[in-house]
Amino acid sequence: MCSYKFKKQGGGGVIVDISSQSLSHINGRPVLQPYNNSHKKNNTCNFKISPPPISPKIKKVNVLNTSNETPKIPKSSPPISPKIKSPIKKVKNDSSFMIVEVAGSIAAARREQVANMQVQRKQRIAHYGRTNSAKFNAAAAVDSTSREAKRCSFITPNSDPIYIAYHDEEWGVPLHDDNLLFELLVLTVAQVGSDWTSVLKRRQDFRDAFSGFDAEIVAKYNEKKINSTSIEYGIELSQVRGVVDNSKRILEMKNKFGSFHKYLWGFVSNKPIKTQYKACNKIPVKTSKSETMSKDMVKKGFRYVGPTIIHSFMQAVGLTNDHIITCPRHVQCATQKPIAM
């Protein structure tokens, strides 16, 4: 115990009498740490101050672990849900970031599908081998002397001579004769379900049956004449009726446009369509132009004038030059003068 001397003073106050030894002790060392005092044991107070309790060390988990090792998560922590991959990822390029779509994302698959649909659409509405310019470029045409002459592939060594002659002399030559246009329209309809060789062999029979394809005479055929023509020349009755009806429509075109050929050539601005096909399998069976022409003729009352038949008719009368570029007739038809009335 510490020894202190107290003296009472009047007025109720208390005076603490501290000896010089105690005073030097107090001035020399704070009394809060008596265990470091150098005084004698009988004059000091022994206090033992226990150090503050040390808290248990908590192990820190490195969440932002950049190494390949997976961080150790305490068992008490809740389970982490699996990370869902975003369809968009950032790729570092120099000092910036570029947004790149993941190959398997929905957006990338949709864009690929739309691109394929656009390619298919362009193929359907292609210009069917036409040149970029409406004017025929003679320098771009393939001269038969510069390349090996090769006919259109539908002409083979086994082709009938009458069919070869038709290809080499008539097919693709521009026609402006109304009777010849009427004739080739009838022959084109007749070759549907048959072939050109068989129709060409019967060409004279068709001319006799329809009075040399004079529209004014054929338009006057009555029911008796139609039946006798069908029986005599072995032509289907519906086909004969169609020819008679078309002859009447041709007369209407003559009254309206001045001639049948002016009506037909107006669809191509009086200039043949010149194509640049390299193979016959690239030639379409119909074009946008034949579809337009077919619709107009149907409205005017023509029969058997579907877009496929009209396209074949356009090839025959030279409204379009569909000889392949290696065929000698390609350049010849392009430079040949039209056959007029």
Side-chain angles (χ1 to χ4, degrees):
M1 295 296 292
C2 296
S3 60
Y4 297 94
K5 293 181 179 181
F6 298 95
K7 290 184 179 180
K8 293 183 179 180
Q9 192 177 13
V14 179
I15 298 173
V16 180
D17 184 12
I18 302 173
S19 62
S20 60
Q21 185 178 1
S22 300
L23 182 61
S24 64
H25 165 70
I26 294 173
N27 293 334
R29 190 71 179 177
V31 295
L32 295 177
Q33 297 180 355
Y35 52 86
N36 288 332
N37 291 339
S38 58
H39 294 280
K40 295 180 181 180
K41 293 182 179 181
N42 55 358
N43 294 329
T44 60
C45 296
N46 296 329
F47 295 99
K48 291 184 179 181
I49 301 175
S50 60
I54 301 173
S55 61
K57 294 183 179 180
I58 301 174
K59 295 182 180 181
K60 295 182 179 181
V61 179
N62 188 10
V63 179
L64 302 175
N65 188 8
T66 58
S67 62
N68 295 330
E69 298 180 359
T70 54
K72 295 181 180 180
I73 302 173
K75 294 181 180 180
S76 60
S77 61
I80 299 176
S81 60
K83 187 177 181 181
I84 301 174
K85 293 184 178 180
S86 175
I88 297 177
K89 64 180 182 179
K90 292 182 179 180
V91 179
K92 190 172 183 180
N93 184 13
D94 297 330
S95 60
S96 61
F97 287 91
M98 296 186 303
I99 297 177
V100 181
E101 290 183 85
V102 181
S105 64
I106 298 176
R110 178 58 181 167
R111 282 186 173 84
E112 185 178 358
Q113 182 183 4
V114 172
N116 293 334
M117 292 172 62
Q118 290 178 351
V119 172
Q120 293 176 1
R121 181 176 178 274
K122 289 180 180 179
Q123 291 176 352
R124 288 196 301 267
I125 62 173
H127 291 287
Y128 308 108
R130 298 181 188 177
T131 54
N132 294 331
S133 176
K135 298 181 179 180
F136 179 71
N137 188 2
V142 179
D143 192 358
S144 59
T145 58
S146 61
R147 288 191 180 185
E148 182 182 357
K150 183 180 179 181
R151 284 192 181 102
C152 298
S153 59
F154 54 82
I155 300 297
T156 64
N158 298 326
S159 297
D160 193 283
I162 193 173
Y163 188 47
I164 297 175
Y166 171 72
H167 169 271
D168 293 346
E169 298 173 8
E170 297 185 58
W171 195 71
V173 177
L175 292 181
H176 291 271
D177 185 279
D178 284 357
N179 290 0
L180 288 176
L181 289 170
F182 185 22
E183 177 181 350
L184 286 175
L185 179 61
V186 174
L187 296 180
T188 303
V189 175
Q191 63 91 25
V192 176
S194 181
D195 59 273
W196 270 104
T197 301
S198 301
V199 172
L200 291 173
K201 288 181 178 181
R202 298 187 58 198
R203 190 172 190 175
Q204 189 59 43
D205 293 338
F206 280 98
R207 287 175 177 173
D208 297 338
F210 298 108
S211 305
F213 294 101
D214 189 338
E216 293 183 359
I217 299 175
V218 177
K220 297 177 181 179
Y221 280 14
N222 55 22
E223 190 66 24
K224 183 178 179 180
K225 180 64 175 179
I226 292 174
N227 291 328
S228 62
T229 301
S230 175
I231 295 171
E232 183 178 358
Y233 296 98
I235 304 173
E236 293 182 5
L237 184 62
S238 60
Q239 188 174 349
V240 177
R241 293 183 189 278
V243 173
V244 175
D245 289 343
N246 287 343
S247 65
K248 296 177 181 179
R249 304 291 85 77
I250 290 174
L251 294 179
E252 292 177 359
M253 296 303 103
K254 285 184 177 181
N255 294 331
K256 186 176 182 179
F257 296 94
S259 64
F260 184 44
H261 78 270
K262 287 183 179 179
Y263 165 69
L264 295 176
W265 283 93
F267 288 98
V268 293
S269 302
N270 297 315
K271 294 180 181 179
I273 299 172
K274 298 176 176 64
T275 59
Q276 297 289 320
Y277 296 117
K278 297 180 180 180
C280 288
N281 59 358
K282 301 295 182 181
I283 303 175
V285 296
K286 62 180 179 179
T287 63
S288 59
K289 185 64 68 176
S290 69
E291 290 177 348
T292 302
M293 190 172 173
S294 172
K295 290 179 181 179
D296 190 77
M297 294 182 75
V298 169
K299 289 181 180 180
K300 288 180 168 54
F302 283 90
R303 298 180 60 184
Y304 303 109
V305 286
T308 302
I309 293 176
I310 290 301
H311 180 60
S312 180
F313 172 68
M314 293 175 66
Q315 292 173 323
V317 301
L319 289 170
T320 178
N321 182 5
D322 279 356
H323 288 280
I324 61 175
I325 58 177
T326 57
C327 181
R329 293 295 297 168
H330 181 81
V331 178
Q332 294 172 6
C333 290
T335 58
Q336 187 171 345
K337 293 181 179 181
I339 298 177
M341 297 180 64

